[in-house]
Amino acid sequence: MTNASTAPGVRIGDLTVVYKTQAGELPAVSGVSLELAPGSITGVVGESGSGKSTLALSLLNAVQSPGRISGGSVEIDGLGDVVGLRGESLRKARGRHIGYVFQAAQNSLNPLKTVGKQLLDLGRSHGVDDLRGLVREAKELLGRMGLDGARVLDSHQHELSGGMRQRVGIMLALVLNAHLVVLDEPTTALDMITQATILRIIREVHEERGLTTLVITHDIGVVAEVADRLAVMYGGRIVEQGPTGAVLGAPSHPYTKGLIKAIPRLVGSLDEARALPGRPPTLATVPTTGCVFRERCAERMDVCDSDDPPALAHGDRIVACHAVGTSEPAQLQEEVA
Amino acid sequence: MITGQAITKTFKQRGNVLDSREVRALRGVDFVIPKGGAASFIGESGCGKTTLGRIIAGLESHDTGEITIDGTAMSSLRPRDRQPYFRRIQLIHQDPYSALNPTRTIHQTLNAPLALRAKQTGRSRGWMDERAQEVLSLVGLDAGSVLGRYPHQLSGGMRQRVVIARALTVDPEMLVADEAVSMIDVSLRLGILALLKDLRERLGVSVLFITHDVATARYIGDDGELYVIYRGQVVERGPVDTIISGPVHPYTQSLLSAIPVLHGLEEPGAQPVVPTEALDESHHDEGCLFARRCPFRTGKCESEVPVLGLGEGIPQEHACFHPERRAVVAQPAGR
Ligand SMILES: Nc1ncnc2c1ncn2[C@@H]1O[C@H](COP(=O)(O)OP(=O)(O)O)[C@@H](O)[C@H]1O
Ligand SMILES: Nc1ncnc2c1ncn2[C@@H]1O[C@H](COP(=O)(O)OP(=O)(O)O)[C@@H](O)[C@H]1O
Ligand SMILES: [Mg+2]
Ligand SMILES: [Mg+2]
């Protein structure tokens, strides 16, 4: 946790975000509480539709219609509760305080304008007076990420590879000197070597600039590489969170266990790896009462059908599962024995 | 059995009149895929995997070299006489969303190729229905609940199973799966991989698996051959687990080193290899193609061309002047 003096802390409290559908307003994020410690990298991992991008957008109060934040708060040091921000103050906060790299950033640049032009547009829209300084800063950041800054600023999107575009996205998120950075699927669609390069850059820039960083991904490997803390999402809930190594090494929630077992691995027996039965829920199929994961759960009990498990602290973990706490002491004994 | 000898392919990418660039997508690739066997092509994006897969599936022409299917050289046939051969090689690509027509039910999707076959072989409607049920059950789907649905009503994993079921309607000899699980949710990925393995074992369908994620290549069968491809050339080749446990080419080592380590569960390999620079297609073509990026290059690498072959004490083929085993792969923690 370096440079904690500049890095803001973030406290997401009981956040609920709903989308209007034919079946009424349905929650994509339900009662999520998550704290991002100043200077930390937090990884949110979950399958498609689990609510990751919606959660990330809430940090900027940028959930678009037909969605809306229907409850809870997002407190950011230096900004207050962004759920209450509107208009100009909200627009200023984005970019200046919170840098955001959208999912599929590889394709989100304007194809008709050079990167440099887009940089100047960004500066102007945020009332930057010293545009030369902005360009200098951008070149330095690009150079820092192993690119020829001048060349990249003169390029159009189609002249850049996927990995280069991703780095341009990171530059644009950081160039206004934001200290809270949200990266949504920063390496999806990149190959392994490029992914490893981007992840190393994210870590280094995070340290050097003193950031608080949130990384959203469907890939546990990505979180394992960069994040200090890990939060696992399923059906709009955070079902487990804790220190990355601890969660991966000894997962508590049956979903986390299943997900880790389902990862194709380079070493070890092929038979140990197993797909999870069933399929991830969609807005329409997420159960409204009881545990969201019960239909795919190996440890399902009667109470899981009726009661939504609360997120409770268990040692270094926060877990939302009726079976955790009852089964944990047994595991501990096993380990001791 | 399907073999390829010295396959080459060059694309001319036209910018404007003055600036037309040539991309040597394949520079002489050999491969052998036995009946019912498995092979995997791995490598960075842009190294030619998809092009090779499409050539093998008959969807793309090649410049020189020979594809031989069950002993028949394709160059000896007129283009339309090749069709029956290539029809039995079915391509399954990355995106199960765009592969299925959104306006057609699964029943209609399966019926199209089945109707063609029924007509060719004089079979009845009853046979078509039976066969539709059969291919769905082969891919682990319940015909009763799936047939009447549209693609958007299915998850990504179920769609990919439907795509595979459709490929099975023609009794394929081989499935070419190009990044076929990379868009599938993690919890369901292994299910698709297990299905491909199962189809090999039960139906004797061979599988060509194309991926940038080496770990998934293990799951279509440990008897599979791995081809590591770099800039249109095979640089290392051998049984999957032999290469994963003892890669000797610095490029293979770079690919394996780049795989994320699951800290807490795994410890990183002791000798990770990181390329000295990023892939650049415009790199010159003299000597070893990887030399520019190789941390271990010597003068020889920059002037002479290493040829794929066996060397003393190394069980797999490699194209490197300085092959050396390195511990690059993460190991389970607490060993
Ligand atoms: N604009 C929208 N309208 C209706 N439903 C939406 C919209 N955006 C997202 N959703 C739904 O909300 C859920 C969460 O989506 P998202 O936050 O994108 O998940 P993730 O990023 O984890 O894939 C999904 O079921 C998705 O279909
Ligand atoms: N139709 C095409 N026209 C021009 N260039 C192409 C075409 N298809 C592929 N290429 C080029 O050939 C090379 C290999 O591409 P591809 O086979 O798609 O690689 P991979 O699947 O390994 O990512 C790349 O440089 C790519 O840009
Ligand atoms: Mg998303
Ligand atoms: Mg490809």
Side-chain angles (χ1 to χ4, degrees):
Chain A
M1 301 215 184
T2 48
N3 294 310
S5 54
T6 54
V10 179
R11 289 159 303 279
I12 301 168
D14 203 18
L15 184 75
T16 296
V17 184
V18 294
Y19 286 104
K20 190 176 263 165
T21 71
Q22 285 158 345
E25 284 194 321
L26 298 173
V29 170
S30 303
V32 160
S33 296
L34 176 68
E35 214 178 304
L36 314 184
S40 66
I41 302 185
T42 303
V44 171
V45 72
E47 295 178 88
S48 61
S50 59
K52 305 180 297 295
S53 292
T54 304
L55 175 64
L57 286 168
S58 308
L59 256 67
L60 297 138
N61 190 0
V63 177
Q64 299 291 324
S65 172
R68 67 181 182 95
I69 297 177
S70 66
S73 58
V74 179
E75 297 268 352
I76 300 177
D77 290 346
L79 279 176
D81 184 357
V82 295
V83 173
L85 291 185
R86 292 282 177 274
E88 191 60 5
S89 48
L90 181 60
R91 200 180 62 79
K92 283 219 174 102
R94 297 178 191 155
R96 286 276 188 194
H97 293 271
I98 313 170
Y100 194 99
V101 182
F102 287 94
Q103 184 162 354
Q106 292 105 306
N107 307 316
S108 67
L109 293 169
N110 184 333
L112 302 176
K113 289 185 176 181
T114 63
V115 173
K117 276 239 162 61
Q118 294 177 64
L119 171 70
L120 294 178
D121 290 349
L122 178 76
R124 284 193 201 101
S125 75
H126 281 273
V128 173
D129 294 325
D130 181 11
L131 290 176
R132 267 166 208 268
L134 187 72
V135 170
R136 207 179 317 118
E137 174 82 7
K139 282 186 188 164
E140 203 176 297
L141 271 165
L142 290 169
R144 173 67 207 69
M145 296 190 275
L147 298 179
D148 176 345
R151 219 181 103 188
V152 169
L153 291 183
D154 274 339
S155 303
H156 287 86
Q157 168 186 300
H158 71 266
E159 296 169 291
L160 303 172
S161 69
M164 290 164 100
R165 287 180 209 170
Q166 197 54 262
R167 277 174 271 190
V168 168
I170 295 173
M171 178 276 286
L172 291 172
L174 293 173
V175 73
L176 296 174
N177 213 17
H179 282 275
L180 171 61
V181 177
V182 180
L183 301 149
D184 193 352
E185 305 279 8
T187 59
T188 302
L190 301 179
D191 63 59
M192 289 288 173
I193 292 180
T194 313
Q195 166 169 295
T197 309
I198 300 287
L199 295 180
R200 182 175 45 74
I201 288 169
I202 289 173
R203 255 219 167 279
E204 286 172 3
V205 172
H206 169 90
E207 300 276 335
E208 281 164 23
R209 306 200 118 207
L211 307 175
T212 300
T213 302
L214 180 65
V215 176
I216 306 281
T217 175
H218 68 279
D219 186 343
I220 290 200
V222 166
V223 169
E225 277 290 323
V226 298
D228 311 314
R229 284 184 66 82
L230 163 61
V232 182
M233 273 193 98
Y234 190 86
R237 323 284 165 121
I238 290 182
V239 296
E240 175 162 8
Q241 53 175 300
T244 305
V247 174
L248 293 180
S252 299
H253 195 283
Y255 176 59
T256 320
K257 290 183 200 167
L259 199 56
I260 291 170
K261 254 211 163 105
I263 305 173
R265 302 279 291 277
L266 274 179
V267 290
S269 156
L270 291 175
D271 304 327
E272 268 169 38
R274 289 239 176 290
L276 244 101
R279 54 188 276 205
T282 63
L283 276 195
T285 61
V286 169
T288 47
T289 52
C291 173
V292 286
F293 182 62
R294 65 173 184 272
E295 275 169 18
R296 302 173 79 187
C297 185
E299 300 173 40
R300 180 175 180 170
M301 303 177 295
D302 287 343
V303 62
C304 307
D305 295 345
S306 52
D307 296 5
D308 195 358
L312 299 175
H314 298 266
D316 61 2
R317 237 45 85 71
I318 301 174
V319 190
C321 175
H322 293 299
V324 171
T326 50
S327 68
E328 216 169 35
Q331 267 177 7
L332 276 180
Q333 273 168 12
E334 245 169 63
E335 270 169 27
V336 172
Chain B
M1 184 161 91
I2 297 164
T3 65
Q5 285 117 34
I7 306 293
T8 68
K9 176 76 182 178
T10 300
F11 289 109
K12 290 189 182 52
Q13 291 181 332
R14 227 165 269 132
N16 53 48
V17 191
L18 295 174
D19 162 44
S20 83
R21 208 165 63 90
E22 289 204 336
V23 177
R24 297 185 62 190
L26 298 171
R27 304 174 189 241
V29 170
D30 293 346
F31 61 86
V32 180
I33 303 161
K35 181 153 180 52
S40 301
F41 294 165
I42 65 160
E44 276 165 298
S45 58
C47 68
K49 306 182 296 293
T50 292
T51 303
L52 190 50
R54 287 175 53 81
I55 288 171
I56 294 170
L59 300 170
E60 179 86 73
S61 65
H62 51 102
D63 298 337
T64 60
E66 183 71 86
I67 302 272
T68 306
I69 303 178
D70 291 336
T72 306
M74 290 300 108
S75 67
S76 69
L77 300 177
R78 285 175 304 172
R80 52 168 248 240
D81 294 332
R82 291 173 199 159
Q83 273 177 21
Y85 288 91
F86 284 125
R87 198 172 299 131
R88 301 198 59 205
I89 302 174
Q90 289 281 314
L91 184 72
I92 293 162
H93 68 82
Q94 172 170 354
D95 185 1
Y97 296 82
S98 64
L100 296 173
N101 184 332
T103 65
R104 288 188 175 184
T105 63
I106 305 311
H107 199 178
Q108 290 167 325
T109 294
L110 294 178
N111 255 353
L114 285 173
L116 198 71
R117 271 185 70 89
K119 202 172 138 201
Q120 284 164 348
T121 54
R123 285 193 173 97
S124 66
R125 246 203 114 75
W127 173 83
M128 284 167 55
D129 287 343
E130 233 168 70
R131 189 71 188 133
Q133 306 242 351
E134 212 169 273
V135 291
L136 284 174
S137 90
L138 278 169
V139 301
L141 291 176
D142 172 40
S145 68
V146 167
L147 275 174
R149 293 215 226 170
Y150 289 91
H152 75 268
Q153 295 171 308
L154 304 176
S155 71
M158 289 165 89
R159 279 181 232 208
Q160 198 61 298
R161 283 173 196 268
V162 170
V163 173
I164 296 171
R166 182 178 58 187
L168 293 179
T169 57
V170 302
D171 293 323
E173 163 122 15
M174 176 157 88
L175 297 176
V176 178
D178 189 355
E179 305 282 6
V181 298
S182 55
M183 288 180 74
I184 308 291
D185 269 309
V186 186
S187 72
L188 308 176
R189 238 173 238 187
L190 275 174
I192 301 291
L193 294 170
L195 169 62
L196 292 173
K197 184 163 177 247
D198 185 57
L199 293 174
R200 285 183 54 207
E201 286 166 2
R202 286 202 295 163
L203 306 181
V205 179
S206 37
V207 173
L208 170 56
F209 192 72
I210 297 176
T211 182
H212 66 266
D213 181 4
V214 195
T216 53
R218 294 179 74 212
Y219 289 82
I220 53 161
D222 46 15
D223 56 340
E225 285 271 304
L226 194 64
Y227 291 73
V228 183
I229 303 182
Y230 183 66
R231 292 181 69 196
Q233 238 170 19
V234 178
V235 297
E236 188 158 359
R237 185 199 131 162
V240 184
D241 278 340
T242 304
I243 293 187
I244 288 176
S245 60
V248 296
H249 197 290
Y251 179 61
T252 313
Q253 293 166 350
S254 305
L255 286 176
L256 292 169
S257 301
I259 295 172
V261 177
L262 299 179
H263 297 281
L265 265 182
E266 299 173 340
E267 275 151 22
Q271 302 162 287
V273 174
V274 179
T276 55
E277 42 184 278
L279 174 63
D280 185 346
E281 295 284 350
S282 62
H283 280 173
H284 69 118
D285 285 355
E286 274 112 69
C288 169
L289 292 175
F290 188 61
R292 270 286 288 272
R293 305 172 69 194
C294 184
F296 313 107
R297 69 167 174 265
T298 61
K300 186 178 185 183
C301 308
E302 280 161 34
S303 53
E304 292 177 44
V305 180
V307 178
L308 187 71
L310 287 168
E312 53 191 279
I314 297 169
Q316 73 266 32
E317 292 181 64
H318 52 275
C320 177
F321 292 125
H322 310 291
E324 195 179 307
R325 285 173 140 236
R326 291 189 178 85
V328 297
V329 169
Q331 297 298 322
R335 267 229 180 138

